[in-house]
PDB file of all heavy atoms in Angstrom:
ATOM      1  N   ALA A   1      34.748  20.920  -5.696  1.00  0.00           N
ATOM      2  CA  ALA A   1      33.999  22.007  -5.853  1.00  0.00           C
ATOM      3  C   ALA A   1      32.770  21.931  -4.910  1.00  0.00           C
ATOM      4  O   ALA A   1      32.370  22.930  -4.117  1.00  0.00           O
ATOM      5  CB  ALA A   1      33.586  22.464  -7.086  1.00  0.00           C
ATOM      6  N   VAL A   2      32.119  20.882  -5.177  1.00  0.00           N
ATOM      7  CA  VAL A   2      30.844  20.646  -4.485  1.00  0.00           C
ATOM      8  C   VAL A   2      31.007  20.664  -2.940  1.00  0.00           C
ATOM      9  O   VAL A   2      30.268  21.124  -2.123  1.00  0.00           O
ATOM     10  CB  VAL A   2      30.042  19.400  -4.970  1.00  0.00           C
ATOM     11  CG1 VAL A   2      28.904  19.149  -4.149  1.00  0.00           C
ATOM     12  CG2 VAL A   2      29.523  19.770  -6.452  1.00  0.00           C
ATOM     13  N   ASN A   3      31.974  19.880  -2.546  1.00  0.00           N
ATOM     14  CA  ASN A   3      32.386  19.637  -1.236  1.00  0.00           C
ATOM     15  C   ASN A   3      32.785  21.018  -0.461  1.00  0.00           C
ATOM     16  O   ASN A   3      32.489  21.184   0.661  1.00  0.00           O
ATOM     17  CB  ASN A   3      33.525  18.700  -0.923  1.00  0.00           C
ATOM     18  CG  ASN A   3      33.126  17.226  -1.151  1.00  0.00           C
ATOM     19  OD1 ASN A   3      31.954  16.897  -0.903  1.00  0.00           O
ATOM     20  ND2 ASN A   3      33.986  16.309  -1.522  1.00  0.00           N
ATOM     21  N   ALA A   4      33.421  21.815  -1.260  1.00  0.00           N
ATOM     22  CA  ALA A   4      33.788  23.120  -0.803  1.00  0.00           C
ATOM     23  C   ALA A   4      32.625  24.017  -0.435  1.00  0.00           C
ATOM     24  O   ALA A   4      32.645  24.809   0.480  1.00  0.00           O
ATOM     25  CB  ALA A   4      34.704  23.903  -1.645  1.00  0.00           C
ATOM     26  N   VAL A   5      31.555  23.995  -1.305  1.00  0.00           N
ATOM     27  CA  VAL A   5      30.414  24.691  -1.121  1.00  0.00           C
ATOM     28  C   VAL A   5      29.391  24.187  -0.096  1.00  0.00           C
ATOM     29  O   VAL A   5      28.952  24.930   0.746  1.00  0.00           O
ATOM     30  CB  VAL A   5      29.747  24.905  -2.486  1.00  0.00           C
ATOM     31  CG1 VAL A   5      28.421  25.770  -2.321  1.00  0.00           C
ATOM     32  CG2 VAL A   5      30.544  25.689  -3.452  1.00  0.00           C
ATOM     33  N   ALA A   6      29.110  22.947  -0.140  1.00  0.00           N
ATOM     34  CA  ALA A   6      28.136  22.408   0.911  1.00  0.00           C
ATOM     35  C   ALA A   6      28.441  20.973   1.255  1.00  0.00           C
ATOM     36  O   ALA A   6      28.598  20.652   2.406  1.00  0.00           O
ATOM     37  CB  ALA A   6      26.704  22.451   0.286  1.00  0.00           C
ATOM     38  N   GLY A   7      28.588  20.095   0.216  1.00  0.00           N
ATOM     39  CA  GLY A   7      28.910  18.658   0.536  1.00  0.00           C
ATOM     40  C   GLY A   7      28.157  17.833  -0.473  1.00  0.00           C
ATOM     41  O   GLY A   7      27.295  18.230  -1.182  1.00  0.00           O
ATOM     42  N   GLY A   8      28.446  16.480  -0.568  1.00  0.00           N
ATOM     43  CA  GLY A   8      27.789  15.586  -1.419  1.00  0.00           C
ATOM     44  C   GLY A   8      28.826  15.272  -2.629  1.00  0.00           C
ATOM     45  O   GLY A   8      28.238  14.593  -3.671  1.00  0.00           O
ATOM     46  N   GLY A   9      29.955  15.821  -2.693  1.00  0.00           N
ATOM     47  CA  GLY A   9      30.853  15.553  -3.864  1.00  0.00           C
ATOM     48  C   GLY A   9      31.125  14.118  -4.038  1.00  0.00           C
ATOM     49  O   GLY A   9      31.402  13.744  -5.180  1.00  0.00           O
ATOM     50  N   SER A  10      31.080  13.257  -2.963  1.00  0.00           N
ATOM     51  CA  SER A  10      31.582  11.870  -3.178  1.00  0.00           C
ATOM     52  C   SER A  10      30.378  11.174  -3.949  1.00  0.00           C
ATOM     53  O   SER A  10      30.686  10.198  -4.554  1.00  0.00           O
ATOM     54  CB  SER A  10      31.591  11.181  -1.866  1.00  0.00           C
ATOM     55  OG  SER A  10      32.841  11.589  -1.165  1.00  0.00           O
ATOM     56  N   LEU A  11      29.242  11.707  -4.062  1.00  0.00           N
ATOM     57  CA  LEU A  11      28.308  11.085  -4.883  1.00  0.00           C
ATOM     58  C   LEU A  11      28.621  11.243  -6.534  1.00  0.00           C
ATOM     59  O   LEU A  11      27.935  10.712  -7.387  1.00  0.00           O
ATOM     60  CB  LEU A  11      26.831  11.806  -4.712  1.00  0.00           C
ATOM     61  CG  LEU A  11      26.170  11.348  -3.475  1.00  0.00           C
ATOM     62  CD1 LEU A  11      24.842  12.124  -3.273  1.00  0.00           C
ATOM     63  CD2 LEU A  11      25.917   9.839  -3.506  1.00  0.00           C
ATOM     64  N   LEU A  12      29.633  12.160  -6.720  1.00  0.00           N
ATOM     65  CA  LEU A  12      30.162  12.155  -8.165  1.00  0.00           C
ATOM     66  C   LEU A  12      31.405  11.266  -8.312  1.00  0.00           C
ATOM     67  O   LEU A  12      31.498  10.526  -9.230  1.00  0.00           O
ATOM     68  CB  LEU A  12      30.325  13.622  -8.466  1.00  0.00           C
ATOM     69  CG  LEU A  12      29.346  14.626  -8.389  1.00  0.00           C
ATOM     70  CD1 LEU A  12      29.740  16.094  -8.638  1.00  0.00           C
ATOM     71  CD2 LEU A  12      28.507  14.340  -9.734  1.00  0.00           C
ATOM     72  N   SER A  13      32.356  11.414  -7.304  1.00  0.00           N
ATOM     73  CA  SER A  13      33.647  10.780  -7.411  1.00  0.00           C
ATOM     74  C   SER A  13      33.557   9.208  -7.164  1.00  0.00           C
ATOM     75  O   SER A  13      34.171   8.440  -7.846  1.00  0.00           O
ATOM     76  CB  SER A  13      34.654  11.354  -6.597  1.00  0.00           C
ATOM     77  OG  SER A  13      34.218  11.542  -5.324  1.00  0.00           O
ATOM     78  N   PHE A  14      32.832   8.766  -6.214  1.00  0.00           N
ATOM     79  CA  PHE A  14      32.706   7.497  -5.848  1.00  0.00           C
ATOM     80  C   PHE A  14      32.063   6.584  -7.008  1.00  0.00           C
ATOM     81  O   PHE A  14      32.590   5.679  -7.374  1.00  0.00           O
ATOM     82  CB  PHE A  14      31.909   7.239  -4.496  1.00  0.00           C
ATOM     83  CG  PHE A  14      31.637   5.859  -4.195  1.00  0.00           C
ATOM     84  CD1 PHE A  14      32.773   5.114  -3.657  1.00  0.00           C
ATOM     85  CD2 PHE A  14      30.490   5.207  -4.108  1.00  0.00           C
ATOM     86  CE1 PHE A  14      32.528   3.769  -3.264  1.00  0.00           C
ATOM     87  CE2 PHE A  14      30.214   4.000  -3.679  1.00  0.00           C
ATOM     88  CZ  PHE A  14      31.340   3.150  -3.284  1.00  0.00           C
ATOM     89  N   PRO A  15      30.921   6.954  -7.529  1.00  0.00           N
ATOM     90  CA  PRO A  15      30.326   6.272  -8.571  1.00  0.00           C
ATOM     91  C   PRO A  15      31.317   6.227  -9.887  1.00  0.00           C
ATOM     92  O   PRO A  15      31.316   5.223 -10.614  1.00  0.00           O
ATOM     93  CB  PRO A  15      29.056   7.059  -8.924  1.00  0.00           C
ATOM     94  CG  PRO A  15      28.789   7.683  -7.730  1.00  0.00           C
ATOM     95  CD  PRO A  15      29.978   8.226  -7.021  1.00  0.00           C
ATOM     96  N   ALA A  16      31.986   7.239 -10.031  1.00  0.00           N
ATOM     97  CA  ALA A  16      33.059   7.415 -11.126  1.00  0.00           C
ATOM     98  C   ALA A  16      34.005   6.208 -10.995  1.00  0.00           C
ATOM     99  O   ALA A  16      34.393   5.614 -11.958  1.00  0.00           O
ATOM    100  CB  ALA A  16      33.747   8.754 -11.199  1.00  0.00           C
ATOM    101  N   LEU A  17      34.528   6.047  -9.698  1.00  0.00           N
ATOM    102  CA  LEU A  17      35.492   4.929  -9.472  1.00  0.00           C
ATOM    103  C   LEU A  17      34.860   3.621  -9.720  1.00  0.00           C
ATOM    104  O   LEU A  17      35.523   2.697 -10.203  1.00  0.00           O
ATOM    105  CB  LEU A  17      36.016   5.066  -8.049  1.00  0.00           C
ATOM    106  CG  LEU A  17      37.063   6.133  -7.925  1.00  0.00           C
ATOM    107  CD1 LEU A  17      37.107   6.453  -6.377  1.00  0.00           C
ATOM    108  CD2 LEU A  17      38.361   5.782  -8.358  1.00  0.00           C
ATOM    109  N   LEU A  18      33.515   3.475  -9.348  1.00  0.00           N
ATOM    110  CA  LEU A  18      32.778   2.139  -9.680  1.00  0.00           C
ATOM    111  C   LEU A  18      32.646   2.030 -11.074  1.00  0.00           C
ATOM    112  O   LEU A  18      32.833   0.906 -11.644  1.00  0.00           O
ATOM    113  CB  LEU A  18      31.489   2.334  -8.954  1.00  0.00           C
ATOM    114  CG  LEU A  18      31.305   2.235  -7.428  1.00  0.00           C
ATOM    115  CD1 LEU A  18      29.959   2.350  -6.910  1.00  0.00           C
ATOM    116  CD2 LEU A  18      32.068   0.998  -6.791  1.00  0.00           C
ATOM    117  N   ALA A  19      32.363   3.068 -11.853  1.00  0.00           N
ATOM    118  CA  ALA A  19      32.189   2.885 -13.234  1.00  0.00           C
ATOM    119  C   ALA A  19      33.324   2.499 -14.099  1.00  0.00           C
ATOM    120  O   ALA A  19      33.195   1.853 -15.128  1.00  0.00           O
ATOM    121  CB  ALA A  19      31.792   4.358 -13.871  1.00  0.00           C
ATOM    122  N   VAL A  20      34.638   2.743 -13.629  1.00  0.00           N
ATOM    123  CA  VAL A  20      35.762   2.418 -14.287  1.00  0.00           C
ATOM    124  C   VAL A  20      36.213   0.997 -13.858  1.00  0.00           C
ATOM    125  O   VAL A  20      37.272   0.529 -14.339  1.00  0.00           O
ATOM    126  CB  VAL A  20      36.946   3.402 -14.075  1.00  0.00           C
ATOM    127  CG1 VAL A  20      36.460   4.778 -14.759  1.00  0.00           C
ATOM    128  CG2 VAL A  20      37.439   3.490 -12.747  1.00  0.00           C
ATOM    129  N   GLY A  21      35.569   0.359 -12.788  1.00  0.00           N
ATOM    130  CA  GLY A  21      35.799  -0.970 -12.598  1.00  0.00           C
ATOM    131  C   GLY A  21      36.369  -1.301 -11.225  1.00  0.00           C
ATOM    132  O   GLY A  21      36.744  -2.474 -11.021  1.00  0.00           O
ATOM    133  N   TYR A  22      36.527  -0.449 -10.312  1.00  0.00           N
ATOM    134  CA  TYR A  22      37.020  -0.716  -9.016  1.00  0.00           C
ATOM    135  C   TYR A  22      35.916  -1.322  -8.140  1.00  0.00           C
ATOM    136  O   TYR A  22      34.816  -0.941  -8.190  1.00  0.00           O
ATOM    137  CB  TYR A  22      37.539   0.724  -8.373  1.00  0.00           C
ATOM    138  CG  TYR A  22      38.794   1.094  -8.865  1.00  0.00           C
ATOM    139  CD1 TYR A  22      38.788   2.221  -9.782  1.00  0.00           C
ATOM    140  CD2 TYR A  22      40.102   0.576  -8.649  1.00  0.00           C
ATOM    141  CE1 TYR A  22      39.958   2.673 -10.431  1.00  0.00           C
ATOM    142  CE2 TYR A  22      41.127   1.088  -9.164  1.00  0.00           C
ATOM    143  CZ  TYR A  22      41.224   2.057 -10.013  1.00  0.00           C
ATOM    144  OH  TYR A  22      42.337   2.612 -10.679  1.00  0.00           O
ATOM    145  N   PRO A  23      36.227  -2.276  -7.246  1.00  0.00           N
ATOM    146  CA  PRO A  23      35.290  -2.850  -6.322  1.00  0.00           C
ATOM    147  C   PRO A  23      34.943  -1.762  -5.375  1.00  0.00           C
ATOM    148  O   PRO A  23      35.673  -0.799  -5.027  1.00  0.00           O
ATOM    149  CB  PRO A  23      36.092  -3.876  -5.631  1.00  0.00           C
ATOM    150  CG  PRO A  23      37.267  -4.237  -6.500  1.00  0.00           C
ATOM    151  CD  PRO A  23      37.645  -2.948  -7.298  1.00  0.00           C
ATOM    152  N   ALA A  24      33.790  -1.876  -4.735  1.00  0.00           N
ATOM    153  CA  ALA A  24      33.189  -0.783  -3.937  1.00  0.00           C
ATOM    154  C   ALA A  24      34.079  -0.451  -2.786  1.00  0.00           C
ATOM    155  O   ALA A  24      34.213   0.709  -2.451  1.00  0.00           O
ATOM    156  CB  ALA A  24      31.891  -1.342  -3.285  1.00  0.00           C
ATOM    157  N   LEU A  25      34.740  -1.374  -2.114  1.00  0.00           N
ATOM    158  CA  LEU A  25      35.626  -1.045  -0.887  1.00  0.00           C
ATOM    159  C   LEU A  25      36.778  -0.313  -1.473  1.00  0.00           C
ATOM    160  O   LEU A  25      37.259   0.686  -0.641  1.00  0.00           O
ATOM    161  CB  LEU A  25      35.938  -2.417  -0.103  1.00  0.00           C
ATOM    162  CG  LEU A  25      36.628  -2.211   1.185  1.00  0.00           C
ATOM    163  CD1 LEU A  25      35.795  -1.314   2.123  1.00  0.00           C
ATOM    164  CD2 LEU A  25      36.923  -3.561   1.873  1.00  0.00           C
ATOM    165  N   THR A  26      37.454  -0.876  -2.429  1.00  0.00           N
ATOM    166  CA  THR A  26      38.580  -0.121  -2.890  1.00  0.00           C
ATOM    167  C   THR A  26      38.323   1.295  -3.425  1.00  0.00           C
ATOM    168  O   THR A  26      39.001   2.160  -3.273  1.00  0.00           O
ATOM    169  CB  THR A  26      39.331  -0.945  -4.110  1.00  0.00           C
ATOM    170  OG1 THR A  26      39.540  -2.377  -3.637  1.00  0.00           O
ATOM    171  CG2 THR A  26      40.519  -0.252  -4.818  1.00  0.00           C
ATOM    172  N   ALA A  27      36.979   1.356  -4.087  1.00  0.00           N
ATOM    173  CA  ALA A  27      36.644   2.640  -4.526  1.00  0.00           C
ATOM    174  C   ALA A  27      36.489   3.558  -3.390  1.00  0.00           C
ATOM    175  O   ALA A  27      36.842   4.849  -3.492  1.00  0.00           O
ATOM    176  CB  ALA A  27      35.357   2.590  -5.396  1.00  0.00           C
ATOM    177  N   ASN A  28      35.954   3.096  -2.346  1.00  0.00           N
ATOM    178  CA  ASN A  28      35.636   4.012  -1.161  1.00  0.00           C
ATOM    179  C   ASN A  28      36.929   4.470  -0.561  1.00  0.00           C
ATOM    180  O   ASN A  28      37.089   5.777  -0.291  1.00  0.00           O
ATOM    181  CB  ASN A  28      34.863   3.290  -0.112  1.00  0.00           C
ATOM    182  CG  ASN A  28      34.407   4.145   1.058  1.00  0.00           C
ATOM    183  OD1 ASN A  28      33.687   5.140   0.780  1.00  0.00           O
ATOM    184  ND2 ASN A  28      34.660   3.847   2.149  1.00  0.00           N
ATOM    185  N   VAL A  29      37.954   3.658  -0.310  1.00  0.00           N
ATOM    186  CA  VAL A  29      39.171   4.065   0.330  1.00  0.00           C
ATOM    187  C   VAL A  29      39.908   5.048  -0.624  1.00  0.00           C
ATOM    188  O   VAL A  29      40.536   5.962  -0.185  1.00  0.00           O
ATOM    189  CB  VAL A  29      40.059   2.854   0.902  1.00  0.00           C
ATOM    190  CG1 VAL A  29      39.202   2.207   1.896  1.00  0.00           C
ATOM    191  CG2 VAL A  29      40.357   2.008  -0.144  1.00  0.00           C
ATOM    192  N   THR A  30      39.881   4.654  -1.930  1.00  0.00           N
ATOM    193  CA  THR A  30      40.616   5.431  -2.846  1.00  0.00           C
ATOM    194  C   THR A  30      39.904   6.909  -2.931  1.00  0.00           C
ATOM    195  O   THR A  30      40.707   7.904  -3.037  1.00  0.00           O
ATOM    196  CB  THR A  30      40.630   4.849  -4.162  1.00  0.00           C
ATOM    197  OG1 THR A  30      41.300   3.526  -4.162  1.00  0.00           O
ATOM    198  CG2 THR A  30      41.331   5.702  -5.218  1.00  0.00           C
ATOM    199  N   ASN A  31      38.667   6.941  -3.022  1.00  0.00           N
ATOM    200  CA  ASN A  31      37.976   8.164  -3.017  1.00  0.00           C
ATOM    201  C   ASN A  31      38.349   9.069  -1.729  1.00  0.00           C
ATOM    202  O   ASN A  31      38.444  10.217  -2.027  1.00  0.00           O
ATOM    203  CB  ASN A  31      36.459   7.858  -3.028  1.00  0.00           C
ATOM    204  CG  ASN A  31      35.640   9.166  -3.137  1.00  0.00           C
ATOM    205  OD1 ASN A  31      35.701   9.869  -4.240  1.00  0.00           O
ATOM    206  ND2 ASN A  31      34.926   9.454  -2.195  1.00  0.00           N
ATOM    207  N   THR A  32      38.427   8.465  -0.651  1.00  0.00           N
ATOM    208  CA  THR A  32      38.725   9.277   0.576  1.00  0.00           C
ATOM    209  C   THR A  32      40.187   9.758   0.449  1.00  0.00           C
ATOM    210  O   THR A  32      40.264  11.043   0.775  1.00  0.00           O
ATOM    211  CB  THR A  32      38.628   8.262   1.784  1.00  0.00           C
ATOM    212  OG1 THR A  32      37.384   7.818   2.078  1.00  0.00           O
ATOM    213  CG2 THR A  32      39.096   9.032   2.963  1.00  0.00           C
ATOM    214  N   VAL A  33      41.170   9.080   0.058  1.00  0.00           N
ATOM    215  CA  VAL A  33      42.396   9.609  -0.185  1.00  0.00           C
ATOM    216  C   VAL A  33      42.529  10.564  -1.188  1.00  0.00           C
ATOM    217  O   VAL A  33      43.231  11.718  -1.076  1.00  0.00           O
ATOM    218  CB  VAL A  33      43.422   8.384  -0.410  1.00  0.00           C
ATOM    219  CG1 VAL A  33      44.853   8.915  -0.690  1.00  0.00           C
ATOM    220  CG2 VAL A  33      43.489   7.319   0.720  1.00  0.00           C
ATOM    221  N   ALA A  34      41.963  10.396  -2.280  1.00  0.00           N
ATOM    222  CA  ALA A  34      41.980  11.280  -3.481  1.00  0.00           C
ATOM    223  C   ALA A  34      41.319  12.587  -3.258  1.00  0.00           C
ATOM    224  O   ALA A  34      41.800  13.691  -3.763  1.00  0.00           O
ATOM    225  CB  ALA A  34      41.332  10.592  -4.705  1.00  0.00           C
ATOM    226  N   LEU A  35      40.257  12.687  -2.377  1.00  0.00           N
ATOM    227  CA  LEU A  35      39.603  13.849  -2.134  1.00  0.00           C
ATOM    228  C   LEU A  35      40.104  14.784  -1.048  1.00  0.00           C
ATOM    229  O   LEU A  35      39.713  15.901  -0.907  1.00  0.00           O
ATOM    230  CB  LEU A  35      38.049  13.636  -1.879  1.00  0.00           C
ATOM    231  CG  LEU A  35      37.225  13.073  -3.171  1.00  0.00           C
ATOM    232  CD1 LEU A  35      35.678  13.105  -2.744  1.00  0.00           C
ATOM    233  CD2 LEU A  35      37.374  13.871  -4.342  1.00  0.00           C
ATOM    234  N   THR A  36      41.136  14.194  -0.384  1.00  0.00           N
ATOM    235  CA  THR A  36      41.542  15.017   0.759  1.00  0.00           C
ATOM    236  C   THR A  36      42.202  16.322   0.324  1.00  0.00           C
ATOM    237  O   THR A  36      41.936  17.225   0.999  1.00  0.00           O
ATOM    238  CB  THR A  36      42.627  14.095   1.528  1.00  0.00           C
ATOM    239  OG1 THR A  36      41.953  12.996   2.046  1.00  0.00           O
ATOM    240  CG2 THR A  36      43.236  14.841   2.762  1.00  0.00           C
ATOM    241  N   PRO A  37      42.968  16.363  -0.702  1.00  0.00           N
ATOM    242  CA  PRO A  37      43.433  17.687  -1.222  1.00  0.00           C
ATOM    243  C   PRO A  37      42.303  18.629  -1.456  1.00  0.00           C
ATOM    244  O   PRO A  37      42.562  19.825  -1.293  1.00  0.00           O
ATOM    245  CB  PRO A  37      44.308  17.341  -2.368  1.00  0.00           C
ATOM    246  CG  PRO A  37      44.698  15.992  -2.124  1.00  0.00           C
ATOM    247  CD  PRO A  37      43.499  15.165  -1.603  1.00  0.00           C
ATOM    248  N   GLY A  38      41.229  18.105  -1.957  1.00  0.00           N
ATOM    249  CA  GLY A  38      40.126  19.028  -2.276  1.00  0.00           C
ATOM    250  C   GLY A  38      39.540  19.700  -0.971  1.00  0.00           C
ATOM    251  O   GLY A  38      39.292  21.058  -1.088  1.00  0.00           O
ATOM    252  N   TYR A  39      39.540  19.084   0.046  1.00  0.00           N
ATOM    253  CA  TYR A  39      39.007  19.692   1.348  1.00  0.00           C
ATOM    254  C   TYR A  39      40.232  20.660   1.782  1.00  0.00           C
ATOM    255  O   TYR A  39      39.702  21.732   2.369  1.00  0.00           O
ATOM    256  CB  TYR A  39      38.859  18.569   2.437  1.00  0.00           C
ATOM    257  CG  TYR A  39      37.701  17.757   2.350  1.00  0.00           C
ATOM    258  CD1 TYR A  39      37.773  16.313   1.917  1.00  0.00           C
ATOM    259  CD2 TYR A  39      36.403  18.336   2.442  1.00  0.00           C
ATOM    260  CE1 TYR A  39      36.568  15.644   1.750  1.00  0.00           C
ATOM    261  CE2 TYR A  39      35.316  17.452   2.310  1.00  0.00           C
ATOM    262  CZ  TYR A  39      35.409  16.174   1.983  1.00  0.00           C
ATOM    263  OH  TYR A  39      34.232  15.335   1.820  1.00  0.00           O
ATOM    264  N   PHE A  40      41.315  20.450   1.589  1.00  0.00           N
ATOM    265  CA  PHE A  40      42.458  21.343   1.883  1.00  0.00           C
ATOM    266  C   PHE A  40      42.351  22.643   1.086  1.00  0.00           C
ATOM    267  O   PHE A  40      42.417  23.777   1.544  1.00  0.00           O
ATOM    268  CB  PHE A  40      43.812  20.672   1.745  1.00  0.00           C
ATOM    269  CG  PHE A  40      44.975  21.645   2.019  1.00  0.00           C
ATOM    270  CD1 PHE A  40      45.351  21.956   3.204  1.00  0.00           C
ATOM    271  CD2 PHE A  40      45.697  22.076   0.853  1.00  0.00           C
ATOM    272  CE1 PHE A  40      46.289  22.871   3.480  1.00  0.00           C
ATOM    273  CE2 PHE A  40      46.873  22.953   1.164  1.00  0.00           C
ATOM    274  CZ  PHE A  40      47.108  23.480   2.506  1.00  0.00           C
ATOM    275  N   GLY A  41      41.975  22.509  -0.243  1.00  0.00           N
ATOM    276  CA  GLY A  41      41.802  23.618  -1.031  1.00  0.00           C
ATOM    277  C   GLY A  41      40.622  24.417  -0.701  1.00  0.00           C
ATOM    278  O   GLY A  41      40.748  25.793  -0.700  1.00  0.00           O
TER     279      GLY A  41
END
């Protein structure tokens, strides 16, 4: 939702991936793949 309006949504999803235990690099690439449908929406 935030990305659709202006941007900055990764500041929510990327830290969430870190919080559940993913390493930073894995969290970043996973975040990119996971948020792609959001940009399409």
